[in-house]
Amino acid sequence: MNTVNVGLNAHELHLKNLQNQPQEVIDYIQSRAGNHSGLSAQELFDKVPDHLKDSSIEILDFLSKNHGDFIGMEVSHIRSQANHPHLVGDANNILLETTLGNPNQVRGSLDMSDMEVEQVFTTAKNRALAIENSYTGDDQILHHSISEQLTSNSQGSVDLALSHNYNSLTDSIHFTLESLATSLGVALSYAVIKTYTPRIIAQGLRI
């Protein structure tokens, strides 16, 4: 008996196979995996939380910086490529890590600590849940109640980010996201990000 797949129905098992996904998802995953010698597209797809795999929109929102909230997921190595080149394509040495704050680049050639690994897992899990919730009935509740549920601090953070003349649009967006994450729950933060990001981008183009 395969205990790994206990609790998954036939449809869910079907979706776990990358080849059963829409072509745009297959192409995207193959392109990302191709940047990491030895890592197969299916192995990379296995890193995506299963509950997102019933929606190509959710998959791409989770992985790509060009979709959804403009935050993506890096292919990061627990044991760095610099120190352990033989593990570069080892799926057991790879995690999907948020691009917010560029933690993978900041870490550089350092290996991840056990605490960092746990943090990467937790952040990815929360992000995936927030994305899924944003495409359910909860999403409508969140969007209709944004103006009522935003705290004065988080609203002020958005306005401050919009008014500051940052050197880069990225800094402005990161400032806003960090402030929202501090003030709001994960799911509501995601909904707010989707609402306000176009404003931030529009403001950034005028700076």
Side-chain angles (χ1 to χ4, degrees), residues 10 12 34 79 92 98-99 104 130 140 160 167 173 179 190 199:
E12 290 171 328
R79 302 289 175 256
N92 293 322
T98 179
T99 60
N104 191 31
Q140 299 302 317
L160 183 59
N167 292 328
I173 292 175
S179 298
Y190 185 80
R199 285 182 58 198

Side-chain angles (χ1 to χ4, degrees), residues 67-136:
H67 292 77
D69 59 3
F70 302 101
I71 301 172
M73 301 299 284
E74 293 265 15
V75 177
S76 297
H77 295 81
I78 300 172
R79 302 289 175 256
S80 75
Q81 299 180 67
N83 298 332
H84 310 273
H86 61 291
L87 296 177
V88 62
D90 186 342
N92 293 322
N93 188 47
I94 286 174
L95 300 175
L96 293 178
E97 181 176 26
T98 179
T99 60
L100 182 60
N102 301 310
N104 191 31
Q105 286 70 31
V106 172
R107 189 179 305 111
S109 63
L110 297 176
D111 294 344
M112 289 188 192
S113 66
D114 290 343
M115 183 177 295
E116 284 178 301
V117 171
E118 183 64 28
Q119 183 178 26
V120 170
F121 269 122
T122 300
T123 301
K125 176 183 177 181
N126 289 340
R127 174 168 160 70
L129 289 173
I131 288 174
E132 182 173 30
N133 288 340
S134 75
Y135 289 103
T136 66

Side-chain angles (χ1 to χ4, degrees), residues 13-86:
L13 289 174
H14 178 79
L15 294 175
K16 283 168 64 70
N17 186 333
L18 176 60
Q19 295 308 310
N20 294 327
Q21 290 289 331
Q23 192 62 47
E24 62 177 336
V25 172
I26 296 174
D27 292 344
Y28 179 81
I29 297 292
Q30 288 178 338
S31 175
R32 292 289 300 270
N35 295 324
H36 303 274
S37 178
L39 179 69
S40 73
Q42 182 62 54
E43 286 175 324
L44 179 58
F45 188 58
D46 288 342
K47 302 293 181 181
V48 177
D50 288 342
H51 61 84
L52 299 181
K53 292 178 179 176
D54 61 349
S55 168
S56 60
I57 294 176
E58 291 178 12
I59 293 170
L60 294 176
D61 272 12
F62 180 69
L63 292 173
S64 175
K65 290 191 293 185
N66 297 322
H67 292 77
D69 59 3
F70 302 101
I71 301 172
M73 301 299 284
E74 293 265 15
V75 177
S76 297
H77 295 81
I78 300 172
R79 302 289 175 256
S80 75
Q81 299 180 67
N83 298 332
H84 310 273
H86 61 291

Side-chain angles (χ1 to χ4, degrees), residues 165-177:
N165 185 11
Y166 285 101
N167 292 328
S168 70
L169 179 58
T170 299
D171 288 341
S172 179
I173 292 175
H174 284 174
F175 178 90
T176 305
L177 301 186

Side-chain angles (χ1 to χ4, degrees), residues 178-191:
E178 289 169 358
S179 298
L180 286 171
T182 299
S183 301
L184 303 172
V186 174
L188 182 56
S189 293
Y190 185 80

